Amino acid sequence: IEQEDGAFLLGWWMIRDALLYQVRLRKDRIIVHNGWSLQAIANNDDDKNLVRATFESLDEKQSQTTLEADLLIGADGVNSATRRCLGFSSAILTGATCWRCRVDVDLSSSLHHHEVLRPLLEQGPTPIGKFYGETFINVFNYHEKLPRTMSYVISTKASVPDGAHPQTVLGKHNVKPEEQDILAALYALSDQRDLFHPIPLKVVPVTKDHTEWGCGRVTLIGDAAHAYVILDVQDGKSKV
């Protein structure tokens, strides 16, 4: 959805849910199976035009099922199970870490945290983008039909222990009082699980001959094939 300034900002989960909803409306042979994990891929010995995939349920029974198809497409992200089953190289750590959070600003609240963030809602798609040493923070506003919603990504090359809060790294820098006030408001309105869940960023190395993009009746797309880092920050867009 385009805005007047050409921006395109919607939550990734909103796009995912909208696409899934459209799939479920279709009356063709598309079937959605939830709660299964890919365990193995094999060729069909009787028909070279078919591929066989074995899945294991994620419930307590851990039952297995095997499906056959003309083509298997691995669109399962940087930690791709499809890559693993094909024996391709695993994703590697970049040395960078990030936190991804979303907040909803109450337009009528008199609470300080909401009052601090409200002006940012009027400052375009990206009201904040700033480096503090090895740490970068991006704040994003969503589409105009979601006027209260913003998200932010804090990424860093600094060493980050497991379960660390972003202030662990930002607290080492000389942050202006007004900027610290904004950070405090963002922290206060965030899901605390996100704040204490730093994500080590990974890339999928791309071979020069592209031999790890697929094999036989199996192909990889998206981050499963070629996850990369933009400006040493993988990828703020994942949160927005």
Side-chain angles (χ1 to χ4, degrees), residues 11-29:
W12 63 265
W13 70 91
M14 304 172 83
I15 299 172
R16 176 202 63 195
D17 291 350
L19 292 173
L20 182 58
Y21 176 76
Q22 291 299 319
V23 166
R24 286 174 169 163
L25 288 179
R26 295 177 60 165
K27 301 184 183 302
D28 52 20
R29 298 173 58 190

Side-chain angles (χ1 to χ4, degrees), residues 144-213:
E144 58 187 9
K145 292 186 178 180
L146 299 170
R148 301 184 303 107
T149 306
M150 62 173 56
S151 68
Y152 63 98
V153 180
I154 297 174
S155 50
T156 185
K157 283 187 172 182
S159 177
V160 177
D162 291 341
H165 189 282
Q167 195 61 22
T168 303
V169 292
L170 283 171
K172 299 176 182 179
H173 299 282
N174 184 23
V175 180
K176 296 178 180 178
E178 61 271 23
E179 295 171 349
Q180 187 59 57
D181 208 20
I182 291 173
L183 288 173
L186 290 171
Y187 298 155
L189 298 180
S190 298
D191 187 322
Q192 297 302 297
R193 293 170 296 181
D194 292 334
L195 281 177
F196 290 92
H197 181 60
I199 304 169
L201 302 182
K202 298 180 180 180
V203 294
V204 171
V206 178
T207 57
K208 291 183 178 180
D209 54 4
H210 306 309
T211 54
E212 293 195 347
W213 282 9

Side-chain angles (χ1 to χ4, degrees), residues 55-90:
F55 298 86
E56 185 175 278
S57 68
L58 299 178
D59 58 25
E60 295 179 357
K61 296 180 180 179
Q62 294 187 321
S63 57
Q64 288 193 340
T65 187
T66 299
L67 302 176
E68 291 187 338
D70 300 327
L71 180 66
L72 174 63
I73 301 173
D76 46 350
V78 67
N79 296 309
S80 171
T82 312
R83 288 188 67 86
R84 172 177 52 78
C85 291
L86 291 174
F88 291 172
S89 55
S90 301

